[in-house]
Amino acid sequence: MPSFLDLGVPAPLAAVLAGDGKTEAFPIQQGTLPDSLAGRDLLGRGRTGSGKTLAFAIPLVARLTGATSRPQHPRGLVLAPTRELATQIAATVAPLAKAAGLRVTTVFGGVSQRPQEEALRRGVDIVVACPGRLEDLMKQGVVRLDEVRVTVLDEADHMADLGFLPGVTRILAATPQGGQRLLFSATLDNGIDVLARRFLSNAVSHEVDEASVPVGEMTHRVLEVADAESKKTLVNELASGAGRRILFTRTKHQAKKLAKVLTTAGIPAVDLHGNLGQNARERNLAAFSADPAEGGVRVLVATDVAARGVHVDDVDLVVHVDPPAEHKAYLHRSGRTARAGAAGTVVTVLLPEQRRDVKDLLRKAQITAAIEPVSAASPAVVELIGAKAAYVKPAPKPAAQQPARKKPASGASGSPRQGQRQGQPRQGQGQGQPRHTTGDVAAPAPAARRRRRRSSRPQGTPTTR
DNA sequence: AAAAAAG
């Protein structure tokens, strides 16, 4: 892999990255940086956990370096679908911005407007925002986007969804015509065409192929239980293993309830969903991100608010307690594990009546996984939660037996997993053909596909649209 | 179809 310096990243920024142990660029970064640094509009697609944030953070900072934004007139803008993601992006941008003498602030709802307003009045170069509060501040005249030179849409396909589209469109329309626009997502499908057509010009599309991405192996399992009662038992067991795990539910209410049930059952869990105040959201996510050896909570129960972008180190298991409604949600939720070279397991808990929907879902997501019938404490489950599952007999010595949580990029609790992995996914590395052809997004939209944007290019080759 | 994003 080429170094950041080779790709034209300014030395001061490359130095910051090197200080963080990052010298070589991941494929999505390698593919996009030359174009994004040159100021071109682009669409970037790379798997979850493949380094997209840095792919846009670098050009964002690099292209704004050397000038100072006027008060209330930021020159860089990043839009994200959730507050947690905005916070996380800002944290990635911050050290780079600092090295370049640029100021960053976040703008989103659920927290006091005051500090955001003050920062904007003082002057910031880069705003990382969720659409709602940003529009609010625009209306109040606190911020103007007419000097924005670089705009990034993270999770761009989601930002083009019905709920977000009107606001996102108004925001983009408030930025200057000639500005640079970067659209990124792991599932960059034709849904973004409405934004791309209106707001991108002469854009290049980079879609990094599967096989070359340095992402760890993601193992997909589908465990079928007989009824709701067995499902409860299984979910309990899946929550009981040694590693960090995220459990996804379909609704806010279920997330809250499940976290409570687990905690009551002696498995400390925190929830994350939109019914929580922003304080609680931040507190719970922080508790989940904290070192388990130092009081961190190993189980997060979340709605799809946590499906996209949120990165916590060393999540080794994702459980779809309720199967998601669509395949993109499956991919994004699952992508909370197996990030940046680590391994991870994804389990879908299946009720018999969901068989058809889930098969459909997996097919669209291009995941091959056999349905495994399980009952309580069946071998598949014991294997998943680690042979010496704490739950079997409440742990004799509860405290401090795992000092560090940095694990080698292998299975969950150090012990090699026995048993063959059924449902081996297609995401192993190396062998054979890449499964995605360029631009063949997980679910090719049935109609509306007449655009020849992506067709028979070799992997990772840019095209112009 | 649910959740998110303004309060």
Side-chain angles (χ1 to χ4, degrees):
Chain A
M1 285 187 275
S3 72
F4 286 113
L5 282 171
D6 294 338
L7 291 164
V9 174
L13 302 188
V16 170
L17 297 171
D20 198 23
K22 297 173 175 132
T23 50
E24 297 187 333
F26 282 0
I28 184 68
Q29 298 156 0
Q30 178 189 341
T32 56
L33 279 170
D35 283 324
S36 57
L37 286 168
R40 288 195 70 169
D41 284 3
L42 70 81
L43 301 168
R45 184 170 71 86
R47 277 187 48 187
T48 54
S50 66
K52 290 186 291 294
T53 307
L54 215 45
F56 64 71
I58 293 168
L60 178 67
V61 170
R63 302 220 341 109
L64 299 179
T65 303
T68 299
S69 306
R70 298 166 52 213
Q72 297 176 272
H73 291 74
R75 293 174 302 137
L77 174 64
V78 182
L79 291 179
T82 66
R83 299 162 185 174
E84 284 73 17
L85 187 49
T87 301
Q88 187 182 293
I89 291 166
T92 299
V93 172
L96 297 169
K98 189 177 175 198
L102 300 177
R103 301 149 298 172
V104 186
T105 198
T106 50
V107 166
F108 52 69
V111 296
S112 169
Q113 176 181 314
R114 273 276 283 291
Q116 298 174 2
E117 186 176 340
E118 285 166 5
L120 289 163
R121 290 192 190 283
R122 226 177 295 128
V124 297
D125 301 283
I126 297 168
V127 169
V128 184
C130 295
R133 176 62 65 83
L134 179 62
E135 274 210 285
D136 201 357
L137 296 186
M138 287 163 66
K139 280 179 203 147
Q140 293 178 44
V142 174
V143 63
R144 292 185 56 98
L145 303 183
D146 54 349
E147 291 177 15
V148 169
R149 293 187 52 214
V150 185
T151 305
V152 179
L153 251 61
D154 196 13
E155 306 296 347
D157 57 323
H158 196 215
M159 302 302 271
D161 279 353
L162 252 43
F164 280 118
L165 189 59
V168 169
T169 301
R170 286 189 294 267
I171 290 167
L172 285 173
T175 65
Q177 273 282 337
Q180 181 183 17
R181 275 124 186 187
L182 309 172
L183 272 52
F184 279 86
S185 184
T187 51
L188 209 46
D189 57 19
N190 291 333
I192 56 144
D193 278 3
V194 57
L195 289 176
R197 269 197 292 270
R198 173 149 175 208
F199 294 110
L200 300 191
S201 56
N202 192 25
V204 86
S205 170
H206 289 277
E207 315 204 1
V208 169
D209 86 79
E210 206 84 348
S212 68
V213 176
V215 174
E217 184 176 327
M218 198 188 283
T219 303
H220 297 260
R221 310 281 295 257
V222 181
L223 305 184
E224 182 178 312
V225 291
D227 52 33
E229 199 53 39
S230 321
K231 174 170 168 175
K232 280 183 192 165
T233 310
L234 174 60
V235 168
N236 238 272
E237 291 171 352
L238 291 172
S240 316
R244 269 204 188 115
R245 42 210 55 201
I246 304 182
L247 280 50
F248 283 101
T249 63
R250 188 84 82 101
T251 66
K252 297 181 273 197
H253 177 69
Q254 282 169 306
K256 177 182 178 171
K257 200 171 101 184
L258 181 53
K260 196 171 177 183
V261 165
L262 291 172
T263 304
T264 306
I267 306 162
V270 288
D271 50 350
L272 184 66
H273 51 80
N275 276 352
L276 295 176
Q278 198 55 29
N279 283 343
R281 281 169 67 158
E282 279 169 26
R283 192 186 335 118
N284 289 356
L285 187 55
F288 180 64
S289 306
D291 190 329
E294 289 165 19
V297 177
R298 288 183 299 95
V299 179
L300 178 70
V301 188
T303 61
D304 281 342
V305 68
R308 286 177 178 253
V310 172
H311 175 96
V312 176
D313 279 343
D314 301 331
V315 172
D316 53 37
L317 179 65
V318 164
V319 180
H320 303 277
V321 174
D322 303 312
E326 61 136 11
H327 75 279
K328 288 205 290 178
Y330 179 90
L331 289 170
H332 285 282
R333 284 173 166 195
S334 302
R336 297 319 94 209
T337 188
R339 298 180 70 81
T345 303
V346 177
V347 172
T348 303
V349 178
L350 182 69
L351 289 165
E353 62 266 31
Q354 295 169 330
R355 236 179 257 164
R356 217 178 47 159
D357 287 346
V358 166
K359 275 184 178 170
D360 195 47
L361 191 82
L362 294 173
R363 184 179 48 74
K364 284 184 182 155
Q366 299 186 6
I367 303 287
T368 319
I371 294 179
E372 307 171 61
V374 298
S375 54
S378 66
V381 179
V382 172
E383 173 203 338
L384 275 170
I385 61 184
K388 305 150 193 109
Y391 87 101
V392 176
K393 295 173 185 60
K397 19 149 193 126
Q401 74 273 50
Q402 43 177 34
R405 48 166 239 269
K406 279 290 172 197
K407 62 170 166 33
S410 67
S413 46
S415 63
R417 267 187 278 204
Q418 49 334 32
Q420 84 284 41
R421 292 182 194 174
Q422 318 191 24
Q424 194 72 334
R426 36 31 127 189
Q427 306 201 2
Q429 291 189 50
Q431 94 294 25
Q433 262 66 340
R435 284 76 163 187
H436 283 181
T437 53
T438 306
D440 190 4
V441 173
R449 192 124 216 300
R450 52 200 185 278
R451 307 177 63 74
R452 31 79 259 204
R453 160 155 44 110
R454 6 182 108 152
S455 44
S456 54
R457 286 165 278 129
Q459 300 295 333
T461 303
T463 38
T464 302
R465 51 185 286 152

